[in-house]
Amino acid sequence: MSARPEEIILAEPRGFCAGVDRAIDIVEHALAKFGAPIYVRHEIVHNTYVVNDLKAKGAIFIEDLAEVPPGATLVFSAHGVSKAVQAEAEQRGFRIFDATCPLVTKVHVEVAKLAREGYEFIMIGHKGHPEVEGTMGQLDRGIHLVEDVADVARVQPEQTEKLAVVTQTTLSVDDAAEISAAVQARFPLIRAPKQQDICYATQNRQDAVKMLSREVDVVIVVGSPTSSNSNRLAELARKLGVDSYMVDSPAELRAEWLAGKKRVGLTAGASAPEVLVQDVVDRIRALGAVSIRKMDGIVETTKFPLPKGLRIGQQ
Ligand code: SF4
């Protein structure tokens, strides 16, 4: 067995999705148009490099709206916000730009529409994740969170005739399918979305890791510890029997992880920039890898427009 890595195989697709691209663009356009500081509620996307880069350009990240001075410009992060946060921001009179990913907004719109028809909801997601807080906060009441199959047995809706299920967009596709099947087995009348709420980017990156895991001896995921979809990529590779590690920066990559591993798979969560991937490539090369290959994979073309007021040429 070789003591040093020989080949790097890059997953395709990997890294930034359309929602992350748009969210970062919104902060950058707001900085260019209105000048620093621009306040951002929560990390715009869950990536340390991106957040530090925007901080250096004049963004200030806050959790509590009381930290934002009157009249300031405020951006909501890609994860979305509750109705209460939205109302408080409006009441405080900020100039607001909403960087909520349109695929999260789609879930919010669906919840609002079905709630008007009298539906009660079960949400599949991770407790405490800002997207889950934002989606559950679309209604005052009537959303029950389930994190796993065991929770499904415990959930106590008030009625079962008008029940709908929604999911966080960045879950493990396989785990969500299992939990969703348990929900549908317990509540056969429940209304499920026509298409899974899990977004195309999460689905595509997980599919790519499944393919990658068949070809490599270890999978390195570039992503921050807070990033849900990045964690799911490392978890998926491990489930498939391949060692996997997540790194927030090239400095975190440990040489012993690659000892005895000929082929190193490399991917990145939807919030991790390609510049970090290339820095990690350089670090693996320094440890011995001589060749690099890109897997075949889906070419993503999804793009989301900027909000009104930030588009080029608009006042
Ligand atoms: Fe939107 Fe999916 Fe990207 Fe999240 S991971 S920002 S839901 S496209």
Side-chain angles (χ1 to χ4, degrees):
M1 196 185 270
S2 162
R4 289 155 74 87
E6 291 175 7
E7 186 182 26
I8 303 167
I9 305 178
L10 291 170
E12 192 66 30
R14 62 177 183 280
F16 278 8
C17 59
V20 164
D21 257 339
R22 173 179 178 268
I24 296 170
D25 268 5
I26 288 174
V27 179
E28 290 190 332
H29 276 70
L31 281 163
K33 185 160 181 175
F34 305 109
I38 295 294
Y39 289 80
V40 184
R41 185 188 176 275
H42 196 71
E43 291 191 341
I44 185 77
V45 299
H46 283 155
N47 186 270
T48 314
Y49 179 97
V50 169
V51 167
N52 287 342
D53 182 56
L54 291 173
K55 271 185 191 165
K57 292 173 179 167
I60 297 177
F61 293 87
I62 53 98
E63 295 297 328
D64 185 347
L65 297 186
E67 297 169 61
V68 184
T73 300
L74 175 73
V75 178
F76 293 144
S77 81
H79 315 95
V81 295
S82 65
K83 287 278 181 221
V85 168
Q86 200 174 359
E88 184 187 343
E90 279 163 17
Q91 185 257 322
R92 285 179 181 269
F94 306 134
R95 182 195 288 125
I96 301 167
F97 292 101
D98 189 357
T100 304
C101 176
L103 299 180
V104 174
T105 302
K106 193 173 136 227
V107 177
H108 292 183
V109 169
E110 181 76 358
V111 164
K113 178 176 152 266
L114 291 179
R116 283 195 297 274
E117 294 172 24
Y119 277 84
E120 196 176 341
F121 297 87
I122 290 179
M123 177 163 197
I124 304 172
H126 298 294
K127 191 167 190 225
H129 189 280
E131 182 190 327
V132 170
E133 288 177 351
T135 300
M136 295 194 47
Q138 294 305 301
L139 304 180
D140 293 337
R141 56 184 284 282
I143 301 191
H144 309 270
L145 182 65
V146 297
E147 294 193 90
D148 51 31
V149 170
D151 281 350
V152 176
R154 285 191 283 265
V155 72
Q156 293 296 346
E158 284 171 15
Q159 45 78 41
T160 55
E161 282 77 46
K162 283 202 155 185
L163 208 51
V165 64
V166 291
T167 52
Q168 187 180 334
T169 55
T170 52
L171 297 179
S172 149
V173 174
D174 297 337
D175 289 356
E178 194 189 336
I179 302 167
S180 186
V183 168
Q184 292 188 37
R186 181 159 175 221
F187 305 109
L189 296 178
I190 198 160
R191 178 175 169 143
K194 279 189 217 84
Q195 288 172 325
Q196 279 263 34
D197 295 322
I198 292 179
C199 74
Y200 78 97
T202 298
Q203 173 87 54
N204 290 348
R205 279 150 194 69
Q206 289 180 20
D207 288 347
V209 162
K210 282 185 184 170
M211 278 173 63
L212 184 68
S213 298
R214 288 201 280 269
E215 296 193 36
V216 299
D217 307 305
V218 61
V219 171
I220 305 297
V221 179
V222 182
S224 291
T226 42
S227 162
S228 171
N229 79 89
S230 306
N231 278 292
R232 303 294 81 78
L233 296 177
E235 200 177 85
L236 176 58
R238 276 181 224 124
K239 272 190 192 158
L240 296 168
V242 181
D243 287 346
S244 182
Y245 305 94
M246 231 172 75
V247 293
D248 207 2
S249 70
E252 287 185 4
L253 188 96
R254 305 226 303 253
E256 63 262 35
W257 295 342
L258 310 187
K261 314 280 192 196
K262 265 191 181 175
R263 284 175 304 261
V264 181
L266 184 56
T267 187
S271 47
E274 184 61 16
V275 60
L276 280 186
V277 175
Q278 293 309 320
D279 289 350
V280 172
V281 165
D282 291 344
R283 169 111 172 93
I284 301 172
R285 279 199 153 138
L287 291 169
V290 282
S291 67
I292 177 158
R293 176 160 63 88
K294 209 165 76 172
M295 258 179 29
D296 287 337
I298 289 176
V299 177
E300 294 174 340
T301 53
T302 306
K303 279 201 180 341
F304 298 128
L306 290 176
K308 279 190 198 137
L310 282 181
R311 292 180 199 152
I312 308 284
Q314 274 185 340
Q315 293 303 305

